[in-house]
Each structure stands twice: as C-alpha cells, then as structure tokens.
Amino acid sequence: MAKENGESGDGSWKKHVDDIKKIFDFKEVLGTGAFSEVVMAQEKVTEKMVAIKCIPKKALKGKETSIENEIAVLRRIKHENIVALEDIYESSNYLYLIMQLVSGGELFDRIVEKGFYTEMDASRLIRQVLDAVNYLHSMGIVHRDLKPENLLYFSPDDESKIMISDFGLSKMEGTGDVMATACGTPGYVAPEVLAQKPYSKAVDCWSIGVIAYILLCGYPPFYDENDSKLFEQILKADYEFDAPYWDDISDSAKDFISHLMEKNPEMRFTCDQALQHPWIAGDTALCKNIHESVSRQMRKNFAKSKWRQAFNATAVIRHMRRLQLGTSFGSSNIHSASATSNPQSRPPAKTECKLGSRASPTGPPIAPLPSAVKAFDQDSDEPSPVREDRPAADEPARPRPSTVTVIHTGTK
C-alpha cells in the first residue's frame, strides 16, 4: 500500500506502493513500447478512469536524476490543451505515471471521419496547438516531437478540444546542455536538427508548420523514395504548394505556413508571431469544404497502422554514416527557403463556416501519453504509404520516411 499521505519518507513527490493494482483496476493495454506499457485503469476509490504508463526501473538505470528532473517539470504543466500528469507511484521494480485519459481519438482519424472540413477548421486546430506550445515555451520547455499522432481529441464530442501528448523527448532550455541531440519524428524535424546544429524552441514552430501543411492537403511536404534525397529536401526546406491540391487554399494559409517552415530559425515565426497572423487571429481562413481531397490524401498517406512509427537514433546514425551523405546545408550560414513563393494574404473573407457532423468514433481510445521515457513502437515492418494520384505521371511515389537522424555535413 502507499505510504501515509502518499509520500516517500524523504518528502519526494513519488508515492511508494507495494502493488499498484491495490489502488487501480487495470482494464486494457492502450499501447506498448520497448521500455514501457500504457494501460487504461480505474482508480478504485474514486472510480475515475486514467491512463497509467508503466516503466520498469531497469530501463531507467543511469538516468534516474534526469528522469526525476523531467517528471518534476511535467508536474508543473497545467494547460487545457496539454494531457496532464496527475500522479506518480513507484514500487520496487516499476515507476508508474498516472496520466489524464483522453478518449476522442487521433487528429487525422477525426478529420477523415468528418463530412465537412475547411481551412477555418484547420486554423482553429492550429491555434489550440500554438496556444499550448506557446505556454510550454514560456516555461522554457521545448517539446521536440510535435506530430499529428501526438495530437488527441479530449472527448468524442464534435466540439472537443485538441490535446498535446507525449513529452518523451521534451527538453528544458537553459539546463546547461546545448540541444543538439537527434530527435523527433521523420518528416517533422527542422533542418537545424538534421544538420546537427544547436537548436531551440524554433524546432517546435517548424513542426507546427509541417502539421498545418498536412492539415490543408493531406500529404507531407517532404517525400522521396531515397532517404538521402529526403533529408536533402528538408535541409534545403525544399517544399511546394502543389497544384491541384493547393489551388483552393488561400494565399494567407500559404503565407502562414511559409513563415513557420522557414529554413533559418532566426527568421522563423515564434508561437507569439504565428498567433498574430491573420490566418489564425483574423478571418482570412476560407470556409470552402476541402474534406474530399484532404481526407482522400490522408487515407493514402497516413494509414493508422503505418504512421505510428518512432525511430532508433543509434541505428539511424550508423545508417547515415554509411551513406556518407553530403549536404548543401552550410556549416556556418543558414539561408532562408527559396523553394516557395512569398504570397500575400488575401483580403479578409467575411464569411461563416458551418461545421458538419462527424461519424461516431469506433473502438477503444488510443492515447499515447506524456512520459519521461520515450516508448518506441515497433510496427515499422509494413510498407510505407505512398501518394497515388499525383498530376505528373513520371513523378516518383512519395512515401513517408521511416527514420530520422543526425546528418554529418561534408562533401560528396
């Protein structure tokens, strides 16, 4: 049983328990990884449903101090759009993180299920993400792994808020370490991360730009069959607003994305700046229904079983060393992206959007959750999804990448 007042003898915030199942009824496994398991459970006294991340202590050996520091940070985070860490228990062999249970499902699933979806819907989603990330940045916390599968709906309700989860790669700024570790998820990492340069809060803003891009077209901005070429694209910020997929998207939306997916982190929008952009704060987001084209592309490019993939940094670094990839990303100068135009925002469109109904979600809630240790899902043996109906017949298929790494700059 937990000690009196739930605290350890030395005043630590961890509650010691002999058997966690004396306090919680474990219901079902929500997810597993190489180092942890997430279980849906019910607290016996209050009957409250929670998600528990169970981490074996042997996986934390040598990392105890950094883990405790990070959990201490997570306990301070209180924001309506961030999944909360509610409690921490420990037994002789396990650390248990008691998390807020969210049941509304994942971002792309909800969009595909809707019958009506507009730029305005995307704008409202991104505004919530910006609010939450701006809050984190104000606390000196960089998430470092923002991606659609870490954006969950709080409940099945049509008007449910979006929640940011999974802080397994988060990092406090100003803790003495220069952030230069290869981390993140393929397709969402900023150029400076791949170039093994010191980076900061700006990496989160880049990731939000990538998410906004996908929300408006249904496919990722960077894609290639060849990993070397893929990373070259990211390093150069080489993306386009392809026709016909972007023909009906406002210039204001493209301008917003271009400021976030800016190659030079010094010139990239901050969360504060992004929140003031007309596409977020004004009424330039269009109300035309883009559901058919976006959902079609999402189904092709983000099949659920295929895009829930993490990376193994060590293996990937070895892989990229073998490739001996040379890059044009300069070692001293960072140039702004030249692959996109700099469109001006359209005049405000004073119209109202009517949101359509959404089909009821099916199946149990899947909730990847914040933690001090990243859970690596190992389901990457399926083939990568590909883009199918691109206008140019001779253009190669564009699968999502399956790895991310440090790239060592040099000559070919």
Side-chain angles (χ1 to χ4, degrees):
M1 294 292 289
K3 291 190 176 181
E4 186 178 359
N5 297 326
E7 301 294 339
S8 63
D10 61 0
S12 169
W13 34 259
K14 288 182 291 186
K15 299 177 179 178
H16 289 267
V17 63
D18 296 327
D19 183 1
I20 193 71
K21 292 185 179 179
K22 292 179 180 178
I23 302 173
F24 297 94
D25 280 326
F26 281 32
K27 299 296 184 181
E28 63 179 284
V29 175
L30 298 177
T32 59
F35 306 108
S36 63
E37 182 176 72
V38 180
V39 180
M40 182 166 63
Q42 185 174 38
E43 189 173 18
K44 292 183 177 181
V45 174
T46 64
E47 299 187 346
K48 179 181 179 180
M49 298 301 296
V50 297
I52 303 179
K53 189 151 198 172
C54 311
I55 307 171
K57 286 186 174 180
K58 62 183 180 181
L60 308 180
K61 280 211 181 292
K63 307 173 185 176
E64 291 84 358
T65 300
S66 61
I67 295 301
E68 294 205 3
N69 287 344
E70 183 149 1
I71 292 177
V73 170
L74 295 180
R75 292 176 73 241
R76 293 179 14 229
I77 296 175
K78 305 293 180 187
H79 190 278
E80 63 175 347
N81 295 112
I82 299 176
V83 174
L85 172 62
E86 298 183 344
D87 222 336
I88 305 102
Y89 287 84
E90 71 170 344
S91 66
S92 56
N93 294 319
Y94 278 86
L95 185 66
Y96 301 100
L97 306 185
I98 314 302
M99 311 300 309
Q100 179 182 17
L101 180 66
V102 294
S103 59
E106 296 174 354
L107 176 61
F108 286 177
D109 296 336
R110 177 76 67 102
I111 292 172
V112 168
E113 290 167 2
K114 291 168 74 78
F116 193 87
Y117 173 72
T118 69
E119 266 190 46
M120 183 64 74
D121 293 332
S123 171
R124 290 167 178 161
L125 286 169
I126 292 296
R127 180 184 55 77
Q128 293 178 70
V129 175
L130 284 168
D131 277 335
V133 176
N134 198 36
Y135 166 81
L136 292 176
H137 288 180
S138 71
M139 297 181 69
I141 301 170
V142 185
H143 189 286
R144 303 203 298 177
D145 196 26
L146 290 170
K147 54 186 175 181
E149 48 268 62
N150 285 344
L151 301 179
L152 312 170
Y153 280 94
F154 178 72
S155 74
D157 297 340
D158 284 337
E159 300 303 316
S160 171
K161 63 186 177 181
I162 202 75
M163 307 287 286
I164 293 181
S165 72
D166 204 334
F167 286 77
L169 294 174
S170 62
K171 175 77 173 179
M172 285 291 291
E173 281 195 320
T175 55
D177 296 326
V178 174
M179 285 188 289
T181 307
C183 67
T185 298
Y188 302 95
V189 292
E192 60 267 29
V193 178
L194 293 181
Q196 203 179 1
K197 290 180 175 293
Y199 56 87
S200 60
K201 300 171 184 176
V203 300
D204 286 345
C205 298
W206 172 279
S207 298
I208 294 172
V210 174
I211 293 169
Y213 183 103
I214 298 170
L215 286 177
L216 293 175
C217 67
Y219 60 84
F222 305 107
Y223 33 73
D224 200 284
E225 294 278 6
N226 181 285
D227 278 351
S228 301
K229 293 181 180 178
L230 168 72
F231 289 119
E232 285 282 9
Q233 288 180 15
I234 298 173
L235 287 165
K236 296 176 182 176
D238 183 13
Y239 63 93
E240 298 176 359
F241 299 114
D242 312 291
Y245 308 100
W246 287 86
D247 290 354
D248 294 327
I249 304 301
S250 69
D251 288 344
S252 182
K254 296 172 186 174
D255 182 69
F256 173 78
I257 290 169
S258 296
H259 279 95
L260 286 172
M261 292 181 65
E262 161 61 52
K263 178 178 167 183
N264 186 342
E266 298 297 324
M267 297 175 60
R268 193 177 303 154
F269 263 8
T270 63
C271 286
D272 268 331
Q273 290 173 314
L275 284 165
Q276 295 170 26
H277 191 278
W279 194 72
I280 297 292
D283 54 3
T284 61
L286 302 182
C287 294
K288 179 177 180 178
N289 187 7
I290 56 175
H291 178 264
E292 182 179 357
S293 61
V294 172
S295 63
R296 186 191 316 121
Q297 290 298 322
M298 282 184 175
R299 286 189 184 100
K300 293 174 182 176
N301 292 283
F302 299 96
K304 198 169 191 178
S305 63
K306 298 175 183 176
W307 54 272
R308 197 191 303 267
Q309 297 179 9
F311 74 102
N312 183 312
T314 304
V316 173
I317 289 171
R318 287 199 301 266
H319 169 69
M320 293 307 293
R321 280 176 178 164
R322 286 197 301 269
L323 288 178
Q324 294 183 331
L325 174 63
T327 175
S328 59
F329 194 96
S331 59
S332 58
N333 296 318
I334 302 177
H335 304 286
S336 61
S338 60
T340 61
S341 58
N342 186 25
Q344 299 297 317
S345 299
R346 289 183 181 177
K350 300 182 181 298
T351 55
E352 294 184 359
C353 297
K354 296 182 179 179
L355 301 179
S357 60
R358 182 184 61 82
S360 299
T362 59
I366 302 297
L369 297 163
S371 72
V373 175
K374 181 69 178 176
F376 297 103
D377 292 331
Q378 304 296 325
D379 59 352
S380 60
D381 52 349
E382 296 190 55
S384 298
V386 298
R387 295 273 303 284
E388 294 179 11
D389 56 344
R390 302 289 297 166
D394 58 346
E395 186 174 359
R398 298 180 167 186
R400 283 174 48 82
S402 58
T403 57
V404 66
T405 185
V406 168
I407 289 188
H408 296 272
T409 59
T411 57
K412 291 185 178 179

